[in-house]
């Protein structure tokens, strides 16, 4: 018995190390490609969060395939869950606060007390999060797993629904070439010319300022430096005639610099659109265009289903696998071994869901990271991403329960305790609908506004 | 006064190394109080006395074009950046002494500017190989500046400075190491100020006095320094 258990633990340990290694490599090769890792603790935390999340998904697969005994699976589940919650609620928020405070020069000396303070603030709001939601039965204690998981679940499900909603709308929008604006080379050249003209105007104003400063400096050398009490009064009351001019020019320069930034960003946008137009003419581009039409139908279907679910207050009782099998058996008259097939099909379905959600999340995180990080804030942002990733995966486990047949759901229900699962599904539908509709509105406005800017003479 | 002649100098480097602080220090002799992210390109002007103290002294405008972004930017950003690389007379390469990657990326930055006439795909810049031919023909004067010197601990200083000396030699350029938040590094008369002045003088010379294609004496000798590609050099 003992050697059995130790062997199981060892093999689990190997799997964990595999996942850890993958997370480590992803961090180094993809996320931190252009930066230097100076605080290894950040990389370790990211890889550990990733590894534990993957282990959770692995346990779901084990559940379906019936690997390991039921009691050892339960033990691993509980242990995994405890560790992940520890990381998500205690470790990562503390380190986010710590690195955030380290960036601020003033507070550098008292980093630790300030980061503890930030962490306590986080815990307070985290706790308060539970109040408006009907997620718990009152008989649980304060520091039980259920309390923590319910709150983590709310945040994670909100994130999932937001990403799903936006992704469902954005995916057809980017794939389909119907939405591509027509950009010609002359448009780009015209915009570039405007950009360079603006730069020239900034330069000529700065030249005037530099010369004015130089003459003032040279004049200042001739006079004595104002010393003593009366010198100070004199320098305050009489201002050199050049300095007022300078502030005026500086304001004009500020406005021109803002304009140059806008023009730069618009030019980048035009180049990106031109590349997409060229890409859409290739074979791969045409394939994605076709996929785009398919995804737009899928997106409309999902929005429709979410509305139905909310309006009719309906939560699906049976999972898609069992329902699919029922339909084939009852209506199409095909007889086959229900138990065998339900196990394998749910394994494949759940496997696909897990892999695509991990891949999708990692790609989105990478894009997000490239867009907003700089060398100063990279640590904080990566930790935030690790936090989002952990919460996302924990909530996926919560929601994936609905896609599995009844006999496999029990362990999740057991481990996660008495959560109101129906609430989470309803919450997901609501946020998904809100996110999808606002994305449609947002993309529509952005699309309408863009052509007018460039076609103007 | 607007009738002074001008030269254009690019200031390149990874984001966050301190280019904006450096340019502000060079042009306004003041420390930049609130550095924020540069979007696109920000320009500043410095008034420079060519051959100061000699009878041929003449004043020029030096435009410092601080181009923001990173080497790993999307190709649409790179295509837009190329518009700033026209008619460049000098290049200042800025790297962070506390960040080795920023020093390594300087090769990719210089390639991006020197290859601006070719299509900016990711291929040429990605593998970091040196195209020795292109660089040997380069007539544009370079200067390598290392920032955040104050954050290097005394014990590591020697190792870091040796590494940067190799880097500057690769580019056949002078190097200056300083801290952009402390104006005393560029105080008049210091060796850094002299190097800076010499660099600007060289830029002006290349632009205005050697238009007939004559090479600066001594340049052919320097070609001997480069043997082989640079991916074999390790700075660790």
């Amino acid at each position: 018995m003992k050697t059995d258990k130790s062997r199981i633990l060892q093999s689990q340990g190997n799997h964990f190390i595999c996942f850890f290694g993958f997370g480590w490599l992803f961090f180094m090769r993809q996320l931190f490609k252009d930066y230097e890792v100076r605080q290894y603790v950040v990389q370790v935390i990211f890889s550990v969060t990733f590894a534990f999340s993957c282990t959770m998904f692995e346990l779901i697969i084990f559940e379906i395939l019936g690997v390991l005994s039921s009691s050892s699976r339960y033990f691993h589940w509980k242990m995994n869950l405890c560790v992940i919650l520890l990381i998500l609620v205690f470790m990562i928020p503390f380190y986010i606060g710590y690195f955030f405070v380290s960036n601020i020069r003033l507070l550098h000396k008292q980093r630790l007390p300030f980061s503890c303070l930030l962490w306590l603030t986080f815990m307070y709001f985290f706790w308060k999060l539970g109040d408006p939601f009907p997620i718990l039965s009152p008989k649980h204690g304060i520091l039980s797993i259920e309390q923590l998981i319910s709150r983590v679940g709310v945040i994670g499900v909100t994130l999932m629904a937001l990403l799903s909603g936006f992704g469902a709308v954005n995916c057809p929008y980017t794939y389909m070439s119907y939405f591509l604006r027509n950009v010609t080379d002359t448009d780009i050249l015209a915009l570039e010319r405007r950009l360079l003209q603006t730069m020239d105007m900034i330069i000529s104003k700065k030249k005037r300022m530099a010369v004015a400063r130089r003459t003032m400096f040279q004049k200042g050398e001739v006079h004595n430096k104002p010393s003593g009490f009366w010198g100070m009064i004199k320098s305050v009351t009489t201002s050199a005639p050049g300095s007022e001019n300078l502030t005026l020019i500086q304001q004009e320069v500020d406005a021109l610099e803002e304009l140059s930034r806008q023009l730069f960003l618009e030019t980048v946008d035009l180049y990106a659109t031109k590349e997409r137009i060229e890409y859409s003419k290739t074979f791969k581009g045409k394939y994605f265009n076709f996929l785009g039409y398919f995804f737009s139908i899928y997106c409309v279907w999902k929005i429709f289903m979410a509305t139905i679910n909310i309006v009719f207050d309906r939560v699906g009782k049976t999972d898609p696998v069992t329902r699919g099998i029922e339909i084939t058996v009852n209506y199409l008259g095909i007889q086959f071994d229900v138990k065998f097939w339900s196990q394998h099909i749910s394994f494949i379905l759940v496997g696909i869901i897990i892999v695509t959600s991990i891949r999708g999340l990692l790609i989105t995180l990478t894009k997000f990271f490239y867009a907003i990080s700089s060398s100063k804030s990279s640590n904080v942002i990566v930790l935030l991403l690790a936090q989002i990733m952990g919460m996302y995966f924990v909530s996926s486990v919560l929601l994936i329960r609905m896609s599995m047949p009844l006999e496999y759901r029990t362990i999740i229900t057991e481990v996660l305790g008495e959560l109101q699962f129906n609430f989470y599904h309803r919450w997901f539908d609501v946020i998904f609908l809100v996110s999808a509709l606002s994305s449609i509105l947002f993309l529509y406005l952005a699309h309408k506004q863009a052509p007018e800017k460039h076609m103007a003479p | 006064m607007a009738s002074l002649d001008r030269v254009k100098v690019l200031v390149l480097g990874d984001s966050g190394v301190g280019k904006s602080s450096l340019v502000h220090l060079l042009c306004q002799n003041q420390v930049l109080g609130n550095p924020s992210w540069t979007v696109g390109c920000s320009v500043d002007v410095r008034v420079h006395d060519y051959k100061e103290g000699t009878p041929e002294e003449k004043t020029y405008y030096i435009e410092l074009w601080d181009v923001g972004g990173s080497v790993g930017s999307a190709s649409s950003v790179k295509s837009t950046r190329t518009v700033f690389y026209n008619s460049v007379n000098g290049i200042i390469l800025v790297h962070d002494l506390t960040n080795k990657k920023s020093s390594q990326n300087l090769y990719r930055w210089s390639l991006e500017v020197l290859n601006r006439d070719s299509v900016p795909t990711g291929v040429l810049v990605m593998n970091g190989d040196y195209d020795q031919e292109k660089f040997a023909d380069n007539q544009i004067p370079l200067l390598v500046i290392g920032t955040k010197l104050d954050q290097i601990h005394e014990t590591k200083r020697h190792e870091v400075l040796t590494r940067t000396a190799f880097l500057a030699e690769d580019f056949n350029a002078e190097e200056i190491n300083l801290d952009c938040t402390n104006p005393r590094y560029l105080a008049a008369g210091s060796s850094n100020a002299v190097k800076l002045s010499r660099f600007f003088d060289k830029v002006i010379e290349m632009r205005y006095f050697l238009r007939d294609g004559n090479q600066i004496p001594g340049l052919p000798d320097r070609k001997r320094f480069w043997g082989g590609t640079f991916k074999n050099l390790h700075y660790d």
Side-chain angles (χ1 to χ4, degrees), chain A residues 169-277:
Chain A
V169 172
N170 195 39
C171 171
Y173 180 74
T174 42
Y175 282 0
M176 284 168 33
S177 47
Y178 174 76
F179 294 111
L180 280 181
R181 297 192 302 275
N182 208 8
V183 170
T184 57
D185 279 338
T186 33
D187 293 332
I188 296 184
L189 278 174
L191 209 59
E192 278 182 345
R193 208 178 20 244
R194 274 180 67 193
L195 178 60
L196 285 177
Q197 277 172 355
T198 319
M199 302 302 292
D200 282 334
M201 290 192 331
I202 296 177
I203 290 177
S204 64
K205 293 207 193 296
K206 290 225 164 164
K207 282 178 184 170
R208 282 167 56 191
M209 279 170 54
V211 164
R213 266 200 304 268
R214 199 166 126 115
T215 27
M216 271 169 53
F217 180 67
Q218 283 165 347
K219 284 209 192 112
E221 287 269 281
V222 176
H223 292 167
N224 290 328
K225 289 208 184 94
S227 57
F229 187 60
W230 289 116
M232 273 185 353
I233 297 282
K234 233 199 307 187
S235 65
V236 165
T237 50
T238 59
S239 56
S243 67
E244 285 136 12
N245 232 0
L246 276 186
T247 26
L248 255 162
I249 305 183
Q250 181 64 49
Q251 282 172 357
E252 292 171 17
V253 164
D254 287 340
L256 282 174
E257 282 184 335
E258 184 58 44
L259 177 64
S260 79
R261 279 190 280 268
Q262 296 272 30
L263 289 173
F264 180 80
L265 290 175
E266 280 178 35
T267 319
V268 170
D269 203 30
L270 283 191
Y271 269 113
T273 314
K274 183 170 156 213
E275 279 171 21
R276 278 180 54 200
I277 292 180

Side-chain angles (χ1 to χ4, degrees), chain A residues 122-184:
Chain A
F122 164 78
M123 280 309 286
Y124 175 74
F125 282 112
F126 185 71
W127 208 257
K128 277 286 171 203
L129 194 63
D131 290 347
F133 296 109
I135 43 183
L136 279 185
S137 35
K139 60 181 170 154
H140 292 297
I142 282 282
L143 264 188
S144 62
I145 286 194
E146 284 81 11
Q147 296 270 5
L148 295 177
I149 268 234
S150 57
R151 288 171 170 79
V152 168
V154 168
I155 302 179
V157 166
T158 316
L159 279 168
M160 276 183 81
L162 281 174
L163 282 177
S164 286
F166 181 69
V169 172
N170 195 39
C171 171
Y173 180 74
T174 42
Y175 282 0
M176 284 168 33
S177 47
Y178 174 76
F179 294 111
L180 280 181
R181 297 192 302 275
N182 208 8
V183 170
T184 57

Side-chain angles (χ1 to χ4, degrees), chain A residues 10-121:
Chain A
Q10 194 174 30
S11 81
Q12 283 291 83
N14 287 343
H15 290 184
F16 177 79
I17 291 179
C18 264
F19 292 134
F20 182 85
F22 186 78
W24 185 272
L25 276 174
F26 173 76
F27 185 93
M28 270 200 347
R29 291 289 172 77
Q30 286 280 88
L31 281 185
F32 259 47
K33 213 166 41 164
D34 288 330
Y35 301 107
E36 189 168 293
V37 183
R38 256 171 287 172
Q39 308 272 12
Y40 278 101
V41 82
V42 172
Q43 194 168 2
V44 166
I45 291 182
F46 184 86
S47 313
V48 160
T49 315
F50 183 77
F52 275 113
S53 313
C54 286
T55 321
M56 264 199 318
F57 286 127
E58 195 191 25
L59 284 173
I60 297 184
I61 299 284
F62 282 176
E63 187 68 28
I64 297 181
L65 290 181
V67 176
L68 300 182
S69 72
S70 160
S71 58
S72 72
R73 278 200 302 256
Y74 183 77
F75 165 73
H76 276 109
W77 262 113
K78 271 279 188 228
M79 186 184 74
N80 217 349
L81 209 59
C82 282
V83 174
I84 273 217
L85 283 177
L86 214 76
I87 297 178
L88 284 181
V89 175
F90 293 103
M91 266 188 86
I92 297 189
F94 174 74
Y95 272 111
I96 289 181
Y98 178 76
F99 282 115
F100 184 72
V101 171
S102 312
N103 268 342
I104 306 178
R105 273 192 172 190
L106 289 171
L107 304 172
H108 199 72
K109 295 283 164 62
Q110 299 108 335
R111 277 179 293 192
L112 260 152
F114 269 106
S115 32
C116 285
L117 193 69
L118 276 175
W119 182 76
L120 286 171
T121 327

